[in-house]
Amino acid sequence: MVSNPILDPLNKEQHEAVTTIEGPVLVLAGPGSGKTRVLTHRIAYMVKACGIQPIHIMAVTFTNKAADEMKERLERLLGNQLRGLTVGTFHSICARILRKEAEHTPYKSNYTIYDTSDQVSLIKGILHDLKKDPKKYSPNSLLGSISNAKNELILPEDLPDGIDPRERLVKQVYKHYMDRLERSNAMDFDDLLMQVVILFREHPDVLFKYQNLFKFFLVDEFQDTNVAQYELMRLLSQRDRNLFVVGDPDQSIYSFRGADYRNVQRIQKDFPELKTIPLNENYRSHQLILDAAMSVIRKDPSHIKRNLVSKRTKGPLIEVHELYTDNAEGGFIIDKIKRLHEEEGYNLSDFAIMYRTNFQSRMIEDSFVQARMPYRIVGGIRFYERREIKDMMAYLRLVNNPNDAISLERIINVPPRGIGQKTYQAFAQWVRQLDGGQEEAFHELVKGTHTPFFSGKAAASLRGFAEMVIHWVSVRDSDEHGLADLFDTILKDSNYESHLGDKRREEDAARIENIYELRRVVSEYEGMSLGTMLESLALVSDLDQVDDEQDAPVLLTLHSAKGLEFPVVFLVGLEERLLPHERSLLEAYQLAEERRLFYVGITRAKERLYITHAVTRRGYFSAEYTEPSRFLDDLPADITVRHSPMQASRDAQRAYREMRWATTLESMRDYQPPDPKFYQGAIVSHSIFGRGVVISSKVLSDIEEVQVKFETVGLKRLDGEFLKLES
């Protein structure tokens, strides 16, 4: 029998997906089910077995890397028969269309694509012309709102006027923004998608041309598409109806980037003849891991009922470990890796440690450093190499050693304070003539000493910075202030936290969380000198870079883990307010996405899965007690081993409370608790946490327990005695 390299490697469901050529098809590809193989073998089958010319096929991926990998696989299957095939990302394909069809758009074919920094500069200029304070109205936040509108194909004139001042400003800025882009013959990345949709809607003849050119469409990671991307696919395929999409709604975890899981519902409505093919056979994990994953995801309201199966029916049980502290969590991971490496023969690169937010990596990184074990970070950079951390460390190093020229150069104009490169060079030239170096220069500036190197605004800006440095040095030397006080003073005086952006934007919030995490690190050295702390941290930040090919465990966020797999996976920080994240607790759809994130993490494991949570975790000001994640309750007891040293204590406390309640119930029958003082939505202030909004309140005996979402530290439960209502 003649072998067929295209069809022979496929299972029954994959074979059906590859050979169903006509009509719309939705492939529900579970994790580890071979979706990339299906996409590449389908294209090969269309070209080789069906005689379809590659020029009539468009395959869309979400990254250039994925597109390159697809091309490489196809070359192995088809050789030189790929000429004319269109494979690329949505943005790259749309950019080509817009340049070719420029005469039908407001832009010339040589248009510029603005990156984020260009966009922010444009927004800042608009705010300046509108006489709006960029500190009150964050350019990044406004840009986020404009991006969301474009992803939804909403133009400025289509936005509601709104009663909220910020909503009105968004509409106003959006209109000016689009006008200035057009005058500059420039587009941003969101425009590349939106402008093609507008082009096709307003010019049916252009749409007809591309419908004739592209007759078959294949789309990877369909669950990560936004409204604009879906509409683009719908318009191009609505005539011939040959739309083939591969995705897994259970792995829809990128809503913060505009992804809309409802596109699965839209394709079912717009293409009622849609054929759905599930890929349920998993080639990655053993069955126990899949059973755990399915038990978690079945409680997602949007989950499409199905089962994942593996031919590997047996494997190690899932282990859930409760540790007393987050320090102990890092120690547990190191000990487990060492044991499995030495006793079971695993390579160090077989291990992955996954977490919800970037700041969690710091404690784990410290554990690796102390154990002298190499590690790599995927989807991010080392904690002490992140820009915001390096900036704050430069501030601290300058205060410790005012003559540190490298640290000064890094932060003298961060945040911007009117000290440009020309002024800095003049300052550096002056410093070289002073016996006391930078430190003497700072004191001379504060005294108002005249120098021929600079004057006017430049001198005033330098003087203002010098005054801050000298003040910080005095705080450093004061017996009344510790390291945490010094850190807080620098953060406040420099206005660095505001410089990082808007807490409501996930990317900006992550940077601010990293700064808070560094503050926690500093507080751990309380009682020591600043120099001692910096020397100790240098052992962490000065480690040699670990080569990507090195045999080392991998640290990564759950968002970065999608599409990857590892023999041994640690999912850390399974606690309320971490996973699920505190920002998700008020919205059901966000909470569902957190559940899908946990599901993605579970399904990265091939052989062993360890899940950890800590009883206490370092907060911004002190260690805080945590609650185990609600998602842990969904793991089946028969395939899970739990190590919970505090469980007996928690059960005893619960039993005591129930007993105490039962014995005092009679005396409490006539008791009427007072009405709550704090109501939902009320604005309150706290002496440490600042301003916040009341989420809920209840009176317990003579104490009013209030749940508040603070602007700085998120959700907290507090005694109402420590809160002040703002009128």
Side-chain angles (χ1 to χ4, degrees):
M1 186 175 181
V2 179
S3 64
N4 186 327
I6 296 176
L7 298 180
D8 287 351
L10 307 178
N11 65 31
K12 180 182 176 182
E13 290 78 17
Q14 291 172 337
H15 185 281
E16 182 182 11
V18 165
T19 57
T20 304
I21 301 303
E22 300 289 337
V25 178
L26 167 62
V27 175
L28 294 176
S33 61
K35 69 179 179 68
T36 305
R37 171 180 286 180
V38 166
L39 283 164
T40 53
H41 282 242
R42 178 183 172 87
I43 294 173
Y45 181 80
M46 292 166 70
V47 173
K48 210 158 190 176
C50 304
I52 296 170
Q53 294 299 312
I55 196 172
H56 295 310
I57 301 171
M58 177 192 288
V60 185
T61 65
F62 266 78
T63 65
N64 291 316
K65 180 181 178 183
D68 291 340
E69 288 177 357
M70 185 178 290
K71 290 175 186 175
E72 288 174 9
R73 291 198 185 195
L74 284 168
E75 284 174 2
R76 290 197 294 268
L77 288 169
L78 293 176
N80 60 0
Q81 292 181 262
L82 288 177
R83 190 183 300 274
L85 177 70
T86 297
V87 180
T89 65
F90 277 104
H91 292 95
S92 65
I93 292 172
C94 286
R96 274 178 265 162
I97 293 174
L98 287 170
R99 293 198 192 280
K100 193 170 184 180
E101 307 298 336
E103 62 181 301
H104 301 295
T105 75
Y107 305 93
K108 297 178 182 178
S109 61
N110 63 339
Y111 65 82
T112 301
I113 300 174
Y114 276 2
D115 63 16
T116 303
S117 61
D118 298 323
Q119 293 173 270
V120 170
S121 296
L122 199 57
I123 297 289
K124 285 180 178 177
I126 293 168
L127 289 174
H128 178 268
D129 292 349
L130 294 176
K131 296 181 171 55
K132 299 293 184 181
D133 184 358
K135 293 181 180 178
K136 183 177 180 181
Y137 300 103
S138 163
N140 282 309
S141 179
L142 291 168
L143 186 59
S145 297
I146 292 170
S147 178
N148 290 339
K150 288 186 178 184
N151 287 336
E152 298 278 341
L153 298 174
I154 299 173
L155 294 169
E157 57 268 25
D158 298 324
L159 282 175
D161 292 328
I163 57 174
D164 180 74
R166 186 184 179 281
E167 290 179 2
R168 292 199 296 270
L169 181 63
V170 167
K171 182 171 183 174
Q172 189 179 16
V173 171
Y174 187 7
K175 185 179 186 308
H176 285 287
Y177 177 75
M178 292 301 290
D179 289 343
R180 294 192 185 192
L181 281 174
E182 189 174 332
R183 286 204 304 271
S184 301
N185 191 35
M187 284 185 256
D188 61 28
F189 280 94
D190 297 318
D191 281 323
L192 296 177
L193 304 174
M194 185 175 74
Q195 292 298 335
V196 172
V197 172
I198 292 172
L199 170 69
F200 286 163
R201 285 176 173 177
E202 295 183 353
H203 296 275
D205 56 324
V206 176
L207 174 60
F208 182 76
K209 180 171 74 174
Y210 283 94
Q211 287 175 336
N212 280 335
L213 176 62
F214 298 116
K215 299 179 181 294
F216 298 89
F217 301 90
L218 298 90
V219 182
D220 193 11
E221 302 288 4
F222 178 67
Q223 76 281 348
D224 294 332
T225 55
N226 59 32
V227 171
Q229 289 161 338
Y230 174 75
E231 180 63 7
L232 179 64
M233 291 183 294
R234 188 191 69 81
L235 288 169
L236 284 169
S237 61
Q238 66 181 355
R239 192 185 72 178
D240 291 326
R241 318 290 282 182
N242 295 322
L243 177 60
F244 181 88
V245 300
V246 179
D248 183 3
D250 292 337
Q251 296 187 68
S252 177
I253 57 173
Y254 294 121
S255 65
F256 66 93
R257 296 180 186 167
D260 193 337
Y261 69 92
R262 293 171 298 181
N263 282 345
V264 173
Q265 299 167 1
R266 292 188 178 104
I267 194 173
Q268 291 170 333
K269 178 183 177 183
D270 293 334
F271 297 86
E273 74 275 31
L274 180 74
K275 182 174 185 177
T276 300
I277 302 172
L279 300 183
N280 292 329
E281 184 171 351
N282 181 286
Y283 295 91
R284 175 185 301 154
S285 311
H286 63 71
Q287 192 62 49
L288 273 61
I289 291 173
L290 299 181
D291 289 346
M294 295 310 298
S295 293
V296 168
I297 203 61
R298 281 193 189 104
K299 294 193 175 181
D300 179 357
S302 63
H303 170 67
I304 299 173
K305 188 175 180 180
R306 60 199 169 108
N307 287 310
L308 296 178
V309 295
S310 172
K311 290 180 179 178
R312 297 163 56 205
T313 57
K314 296 180 180 179
L317 297 176
I318 288 85
E319 295 188 23
V320 179
H321 290 260
E322 179 180 67
L323 290 311
Y324 286 108
T325 67
D326 45 1
N327 268 323
E329 188 176 48
F332 165 79
I333 292 168
I334 296 296
D335 291 344
K336 187 64 70 173
I337 290 175
K338 282 183 176 179
R339 189 186 70 77
L340 291 174
H341 174 57
E342 294 169 3
E343 299 178 11
E344 302 287 338
Y346 283 98
N347 296 320
L348 291 179
S349 57
D350 290 337
F351 299 92
I353 299 94
M354 302 178 186
Y355 35 82
R356 173 60 177 84
T357 59
N358 270 313
F359 81 85
Q360 290 173 261
S361 76
R362 198 275 305 174
M363 190 71 73
I364 301 168
E365 288 183 64
D366 285 356
S367 296
F368 274 95
V369 171
Q370 291 165 15
R372 297 183 179 276
M373 185 181 290
Y375 66 93
R376 292 179 288 140
I377 287 190
V378 174
I381 56 176
R382 292 169 181 266
F383 182 83
Y384 292 105
E385 292 174 356
R386 291 169 184 142
R387 176 174 60 83
E388 60 273 16
I389 301 303
K390 290 178 77 72
D391 287 347
M392 284 305 298
M393 291 296 288
Y395 273 110
L396 291 168
R397 283 195 297 266
L398 182 64
V399 174
N400 184 62
N401 173 19
N403 284 317
D404 185 339
I406 299 298
S407 292
L408 175 66
E409 185 174 8
R410 181 179 182 91
I411 49 85
I412 194 168
N413 200 41
V414 178
R417 47 177 67 95
I419 305 174
Q421 192 63 26
K422 185 177 178 181
T423 301
Y424 173 75
Q425 292 298 336
F427 173 79
Q429 187 178 352
W430 176 46
V431 165
R432 284 193 287 270
Q433 298 185 11
L434 300 176
D435 293 337
Q438 288 178 181
E439 187 167 14
E440 181 182 346
F442 291 144
H443 286 281
E444 292 299 319
L445 283 167
V446 170
K447 282 191 259 180
T449 302
H450 174 73
T451 170
F453 291 94
F454 42 79
S455 59
K457 286 181 65 177
S461 297
L462 284 167
R463 186 180 305 112
F465 181 78
E467 287 171 349
M468 285 195 298
V469 173
I470 290 173
H471 172 60
W472 295 335
V473 171
S474 70
V475 174
R476 178 200 72 187
D477 295 336
S478 170
D479 292 333
E480 298 176 5
H481 299 285
L483 291 176
D485 290 337
L486 173 61
F487 187 94
D488 293 343
T489 302
I490 294 172
L491 195 61
K492 180 182 177 183
D493 292 352
S494 66
N495 203 34
Y496 187 76
E497 182 175 340
S498 299
H499 167 69
L500 290 178
D502 189 336
K503 292 187 181 76
R504 291 172 295 186
R505 282 173 55 89
E506 180 138 345
E507 185 178 354
D508 295 343
R511 294 194 185 102
I512 294 169
E513 283 180 344
N514 288 337
I515 292 298
Y516 291 168
E517 179 66 7
L518 181 60
R519 201 267 190 192
R520 296 181 197 116
V521 175
V522 171
S523 68
E524 292 174 5
Y525 289 85
E526 207 66 77
M528 301 182 190
S529 71
L530 177 60
T532 300
M533 184 199 75
L534 291 171
E535 180 182 337
S536 177
L537 293 183
L539 298 175
V540 175
S541 57
D542 289 344
L543 283 175
D544 292 336
Q545 289 282 343
V546 179
D547 188 87
D548 285 344
E549 300 301 318
Q550 185 174 357
D551 183 25
V554 178
L555 280 62
L556 68 169
T557 65
L558 285 164
H559 282 104
S560 300
K562 195 146 151 257
L564 303 177
E565 59 182 37
F566 302 90
V568 184
V569 169
F570 295 87
L571 301 181
V572 304
L574 260 291
E575 298 146 25
E576 292 291 300
R577 298 175 57 196
L578 268 182
L579 186 63
H581 196 279
E582 63 181 351
R583 287 196 298 271
S584 73
L585 298 179
L586 302 180
E587 296 287 350
Y589 78 92
Q590 290 182 336
L591 190 59
E593 183 160 317
E594 295 292 299
R595 178 180 293 279
R596 295 194 290 272
L597 201 54
F598 184 36
Y599 168 80
V600 166
I602 293 173
T603 54
R604 300 310 95 194
K606 297 168 71 174
E607 298 169 14
R608 295 177 181 270
L609 176 63
Y610 299 95
I611 301 171
T612 66
H613 60 99
V615 176
T616 63
R617 189 171 294 278
R618 293 283 299 181
Y620 186 64
F621 293 96
S622 61
E624 297 179 352
Y625 281 96
T626 70
E627 284 289 327
S629 171
R630 67 193 69 189
F631 300 148
L632 295 177
D633 294 334
D634 300 328
L635 297 173
D638 60 327
I639 61 172
T640 307
V641 177
R642 295 181 185 260
H643 303 268
S644 304
M646 290 293 290
Q647 192 61 49
S649 173
R650 285 180 176 152
D651 291 343
Q653 290 176 4
R654 188 180 298 111
Y656 174 74
R657 288 196 299 269
E658 291 172 355
M659 180 193 71
R660 186 178 178 191
W661 176 253
T663 57
T664 57
L665 182 60
E666 195 64 35
S667 62
M668 293 288 288
R669 287 188 189 280
D670 298 326
Y671 172 73
Q672 293 295 324
D675 292 332
K677 174 184 175 183
F678 300 92
Y679 55 91
Q680 186 178 15
I683 304 298
V684 295
S685 61
H686 186 273
S687 60
I688 295 177
F689 302 134
R691 281 166 53 89
V693 60
V694 174
I695 303 302
S696 64
S697 178
K698 57 184 175 181
V699 177
L700 304 171
S701 183
D702 58 345
I703 296 175
E704 183 172 358
E705 183 185 275
V706 188
Q707 187 180 35
V708 182
K709 186 174 179 64
F710 289 100
E711 295 173 353
T712 55
V713 294
L715 285 172
K716 293 282 184 183
R717 281 191 176 87
L718 301 166
D719 184 341
E721 288 291 319
F722 299 100
L723 297 171
K724 180 181 178 182
L725 269 172
E726 294 195 1
S727 55

